[in-house]
Amino acid sequence: MKPDYTRICQRLRVLTENIPYETANLANASALLWQNLEDINWAGFYQWIDGILVLGPFQGKPACVKIPMGKGVCGAAAARDVMQLVDNVHEFPGHIACDGASNSEIVIPLHVKGELWGVLDIDSPLYSRFSPEDAAGLVRFAQTLEEILETCSR
Ligand code: SME
């Protein structure tokens, strides 16, 4: 079934309402994606801390903790400040395989107060899992989350 991204964004707003704790909100955001998207094997965040992407709250198998700027799909999204929609991760130069089951991936940069905050990263065991509709819906999810992060303390 196709995910209803409008409803998912509404759920995110309800879950995070009056909650000023960043980690708690990110944990629930990753759980919400995990619960609502089919055929994914990882959903979570890398935070831009001291010049490196550092693993944040997520759902899925344990993942690599540090990703340098420009490395892998996450590092490319952060360095270029552009969403990366990768239909086949094995063809992406420098892809970092945290979970060998991953075959496609989407990474969306997140900003807070006009600065790079980190990235949202979702992996799938299917090739070409993420359609243009998914990309558009997930960008809306990311924008909703950016507004919420503006109100949070780290
Ligand atoms: N595949 C990512 C690394 C993070 S994991 O997918 C959780 C990358 O190439 O940046």
Side-chain angles (χ1 to χ4, degrees):
M1 215 180 68
K2 284 191 179 178
D4 179 346
Y5 286 104
T6 300
R7 198 190 66 84
I8 295 170
C9 291
Q10 282 167 353
R11 283 287 295 147
L12 181 63
R13 285 201 190 278
V14 170
L15 277 170
T16 58
E17 203 172 2
N18 298 323
I19 310 287
Y21 309 117
E22 190 176 81
T23 306
N25 289 335
L26 293 168
N28 269 338
S30 66
L32 200 53
L33 293 173
W34 189 252
Q35 192 180 31
N36 284 282
L37 300 191
E38 292 176 352
D39 299 314
I40 62 170
N41 60 321
W42 205 89
F45 301 95
Y46 280 88
Q47 294 176 245
W48 181 242
I49 300 173
D50 296 335
I52 200 154
L53 289 167
V54 179
L55 183 64
F58 68 94
Q59 305 278 310
K61 287 188 180 170
C64 52
V65 172
K66 294 182 187 177
I67 300 179
M69 186 61 123
K71 299 289 178 195
V73 185
C74 291
R80 297 170 196 168
D81 203 5
V82 173
M83 176 178 72
Q84 304 292 303
L85 204 173
V86 183
D87 287 332
N88 179 353
V89 294
H90 309 291
E91 290 176 350
F92 191 95
H95 165 251
I96 301 163
C98 291
D99 180 345
S102 298
N103 284 318
S104 64
E105 180 165 4
I106 186 167
V107 181
I108 301 173
L110 296 166
H111 307 86
V112 174
K113 296 186 178 38
E115 307 244 312
L116 179 71
W117 175 92
V119 299
L120 164 64
D121 179 18
I122 309 174
D123 286 26
S124 171
L126 303 185
Y127 291 97
S128 305
R129 159 66 181 80
F130 304 101
S131 67
E133 289 82 10
D134 287 307
L138 290 167
V139 165
R140 278 166 55 209
F141 184 85
Q143 287 167 345
T144 306
L145 193 56
E146 284 176 337
E147 286 174 29
I148 292 160
L149 290 173
E150 295 277 357
T151 68
C152 293
S153 55
R154 271 211 163 165

